Amino acid sequence: MSSIFQSIHKLVAKIPPGRVATYGQIAAMLGVPGGARTVGWAMHGLPEGSEVPWHRVVGAGGLVRLPEFEGKAVQVMLLRQEDVEVDGRGRIDLERFQWTAE
DNA sequence: AAGGTGACCAAGG
DNA sequence: TCCTTGGCCACCT
């Protein structure tokens, strides 16, 4: 079924390891500026064991916008596994790790 | 069809 | 630096 939801998952799946994208960026790439909330919502609705690398999607400014109880620690861990530097606050240097589409 | 909700964003106190 | 406020969009009931 083609929904913005599917499009988001597909695009996120294209983010290469060691890179991150912001919610707003994803939304903009899909032609839905201002639809950052929708992207976040799509992430939240992901089933477990999904192919989608949801952990590569962060908030504006490279800040992890994920409540602890939703798996923030997991996201940070996965990112670090991909050589992405994340500080204790969950901040990432977009200048170096932000994904720029082809 | 209408309203509520959310892993957002930017600005203001 | 933290919390609140207003605005944005798509999905669910």
Side-chain angles (χ1 to χ4, degrees):
Chain A
M1 328 294 291
S2 71
S3 62
I4 181 71
F5 218 86
Q6 293 291 313
S7 300
I8 292 172
H9 293 170
K10 245 183 173 178
L11 185 56
V12 173
K14 292 179 183 173
I15 304 176
R19 300 254 117 154
V20 300
T22 67
Y23 297 97
Q25 181 186 350
I26 298 296
M29 291 173 99
L30 291 173
V32 190
R37 305 193 70 174
T38 306
V39 175
W41 193 25
M43 295 297 103
H44 185 226
L46 280 174
E48 293 179 38
S50 171
E51 306 287 319
V52 184
W54 56 271
H55 57 278
R56 295 184 191 143
V57 183
V58 299
L63 180 61
V64 175
R65 287 295 206 175
L66 184 68
E68 301 294 344
F69 54 83
E70 287 285 359
K72 178 181 177 185
V74 177
Q75 174 167 23
V76 173
M77 176 185 71
L78 290 172
L79 287 172
R80 285 176 174 163
Q81 275 181 21
E82 302 181 347
D83 299 308
V84 173
E85 294 173 24
V86 188
D87 71 8
R89 284 263 197 331
R91 285 187 298 203
I92 300 168
D93 183 353
L94 291 182
E95 291 297 315
R96 304 189 338 175
F97 303 105
Q98 180 167 51
W99 172 53
T100 46
E102 59 270 38

